[in-house]
Amino acid sequence: MIKVLVVGKGGREHAIITALHESPTETRIYSFPGSDAIFEIAEKADASDLPTLISFMKSEGIDLCVAGEESYLVKDKGLANECAEAGIPCWGPPKESAQLEASKEFAKEFMVRHEIPTGGYASVDTVADAKAAIAGKYPTVLKFDGLAAGKGVAVCFDEASADEFIDEVLGQRKFGAGNLLIEEFLDGPEISIFASVVDDDYQILAPARDYKRIYDADEGPNTGGMGAVSSLEMFEGDLRQTIDETIVKPTVEGLRKDGLPYRGFLYFGLILTTDGPKILEYNCRFGDPEAQAVLPMISGDFAQYVFEGAKGNLQPDAIKFQDGWSICLVSASDGYPASSRSGDTISGIGNLENARIYHAGTRLDSDGNFETAGGRVYAIVANGDSREEAVAKVYAESEKVSFPGMQRRSDIGTRNF
Ligand code: GLY
């Protein structure tokens, strides 16, 4: 039996915990900070911050820690660093390697150093230098060099929107101290690639595509993700090999050359440009909501796979990806993403027959019913032999669950193909 603790509380962590729970290897799962939905299959860890979490893991005899979200990887001394000191295998990299996600400038320097294809960039720390670096060329991509809860990136199509974002980051210092990266705008379809990295070894998982804008046709403001689609068929032609040779392999070799240890999921946000795949960003964790689409496609022993990986043994054959397609459709609360309304009762969850539901922003009300408690509320996920079948299924099932003010897109899985 493996005692495993998963850090995080959103839909991605609900999906990871579900995959661990459904593994043939017996597990006892703990969650920090977790959510009411997660606590239906995991126990709540008695902790309030990183030091108390490490004490809890030690006293509870936790065998494996899984970093669902990224923030604890770079907090204080770092989750994985603390786990290493405590002798607990951790699926998630140490603080020094997690800079690949935490610092956009660190990541760009890494890509340039290891000749990994990416867009050009400049790093600036004043409003005047930002404007000079843009030099009137739009669209442009602006990225705050730090963690900003998904709000630190803006794709600006004109001067007015760029000025507004530059003022927030460098004028008002909304996200605190840190440089701003002015990046070349790369055009083409996006694809999210995930690899399990274990020291010098790695395995590329099923790819995915997420939908970031709130409205249909990719309109409106950016969100944490309104849906995702995954299928091995997205690796058309020799795309998998090209991505492996030009991006994944040089990244893993770069980590080794730079002396950056890594065990965990590594997420490559790519654009498929006419000049080949180029990397937009690294994330040191699974994607959200991509994990909710990818993980239901896995059969085998996910718990054993992650446990062995965290101990330094990548076991690619421990898991297998189903053929076909998986579609994840997010429902968001009223007002999202500008704000979010909480306290709306969710009805119909029990009516789902051919789909899974992963909770993101929900809680139990005093009557024991789930209600909204955040921007993105839940994701409904369905699989099918074809993309069309999976889309039809996910939308039919989603009709069964609702709450007042619910927002969801009607083109997930159909657009951008
Ligand atoms: N889906 C984008 C992310 O997880 O960062």
Side-chain angles (χ1 to χ4, degrees):
M1 203 254 299
I2 304 172
K3 278 186 164 187
V4 47
L5 184 139
V6 179
V7 178
K9 63 179 165 49
R12 170 185 46 211
E13 288 74 29
H14 197 194
I16 290 173
I17 288 171
T18 303
L20 292 168
H21 177 71
E22 291 177 356
S23 295
T25 291
E26 197 190 335
T27 51
R28 182 162 174 189
I29 307 173
Y30 299 81
S31 168
F32 170 78
S35 69
D36 287 342
I38 285 174
F39 298 141
E40 290 183 340
I41 48 172
E43 295 168 51
K44 188 176 170 60
D46 181 14
S48 56
D49 53 16
L50 189 52
T52 53
L53 181 64
I54 299 295
S55 304
F56 175 83
M57 286 198 274
K58 283 200 228 166
S59 67
E60 208 62 32
I62 295 294
D63 301 303
L64 166 69
C65 175
V66 176
E69 58 137 285
E70 65 279 12
S71 69
Y72 285 89
L73 293 172
V74 291
K75 211 166 259 180
D76 307 331
K77 282 164 72 183
L79 176 68
N81 310 63
E82 292 268 20
C83 282
E85 246 176 57
I88 301 166
C90 180
W91 190 242
K95 186 171 183 170
E96 55 276 24
S97 310
Q99 296 308 313
L100 277 183
E101 173 165 4
S103 166
K104 305 302 171 203
E105 192 164 2
F106 179 95
K108 277 288 192 188
E109 286 170 353
F110 178 93
M111 293 169 207
V112 171
R113 187 162 58 249
H114 299 293
E115 297 178 0
I116 300 163
T118 188
Y121 77 103
S123 175
V124 299
D125 67 354
T126 67
V127 172
D129 285 350
K131 290 185 186 207
I134 295 173
K137 211 167 152 228
Y138 296 97
T140 186
V141 181
L142 307 181
K143 283 188 190 165
F144 170 64
D145 186 27
L147 294 179
K151 300 205 168 73
V153 179
V155 180
C156 299
F157 289 84
D158 53 39
E159 190 174 353
S161 58
D163 283 355
E164 192 181 332
F165 192 75
I166 292 167
D167 179 54
E168 281 177 12
V169 175
L170 297 177
Q172 302 166 41
R173 290 280 173 196
K174 197 168 151 185
F175 307 119
N179 280 9
L180 180 70
L181 265 58
I182 316 288
E183 292 191 8
E184 178 190 351
F185 175 79
L186 299 174
D187 205 11
E190 284 191 34
I191 189 165
S192 304
I193 301 297
F194 307 99
S196 295
V197 178
V198 176
D199 309 329
D200 298 347
D201 224 353
Y202 63 92
Q203 178 184 17
I204 296 175
L205 310 180
R209 175 165 295 146
D210 66 349
Y211 295 79
K212 295 188 172 71
R213 304 282 179 151
I214 182 79
Y215 301 129
D216 282 0
D218 293 332
E219 290 189 350
N222 261 332
T223 69
M226 294 301 290
V229 41
S230 175
S231 173
L232 288 172
E233 290 178 37
M234 289 168 67
F235 280 138
E236 286 167 47
D238 57 5
L239 184 60
R240 186 188 183 288
Q241 195 183 340
T242 306
I243 290 173
D244 187 3
E245 284 170 5
T246 62
I247 308 234
V248 181
K249 193 161 185 264
T251 297
V252 176
E253 282 177 358
L255 288 167
R256 182 180 51 77
K257 285 182 195 155
D258 289 355
L260 295 170
Y262 204 107
R263 287 182 190 168
F265 295 123
L266 181 54
Y267 166 164
F268 306 74
L270 306 186
I271 298 269
L272 304 177
T273 74
T274 46
D275 292 336
K278 293 194 181 183
I279 179 157
L280 284 180
E281 62 174 7
Y282 293 111
N283 292 307
C284 298
R285 50 162 174 87
F286 222 113
D288 187 337
E290 290 98 323
Q292 294 89 310
V294 174
L295 292 175
M297 307 269 281
I298 290 183
S299 57
D301 199 333
F302 182 68
Q304 188 66 21
Y305 175 81
V306 173
F307 187 41
E308 286 302 320
K311 290 190 292 178
N313 314 309
L314 181 65
Q315 295 188 338
D317 296 336
I319 58 166
K320 221 174 127 30
F321 288 92
Q322 232 171 270
D323 290 334
W325 291 77
S326 175
I327 313 271
C328 154
L329 174 62
V330 169
S331 290
S333 64
D334 192 41
Y336 183 73
S339 62
S340 66
R341 194 169 76 194
S342 293
D344 289 307
T345 300
I346 302 163
S347 55
I349 293 176
N351 299 334
L352 289 171
E353 287 164 312
N354 296 309
R356 293 167 174 276
I357 183 166
Y358 296 121
H359 292 240
T362 72
R363 66 182 171 219
L364 286 171
D365 67 15
S366 51
D367 296 325
N369 300 312
F370 279 108
E371 63 178 21
T372 63
R376 288 183 302 155
V377 177
Y378 53 75
I380 291 180
V381 183
N383 293 24
D385 288 342
S386 66
R387 185 158 53 83
E388 292 73 17
E389 186 190 326
V391 168
K393 215 193 250 183
V394 84
Y395 276 99
E397 288 293 309
S398 293
E399 283 304 304
K400 300 175 180 173
V401 189
S402 65
F403 54 87
M406 182 180 75
Q407 304 187 70
R408 66 174 179 235
R409 284 180 57 159
S410 67
D411 60 355
I412 302 299
T414 59
R415 197 180 164 78
N416 302 334
F417 283 95

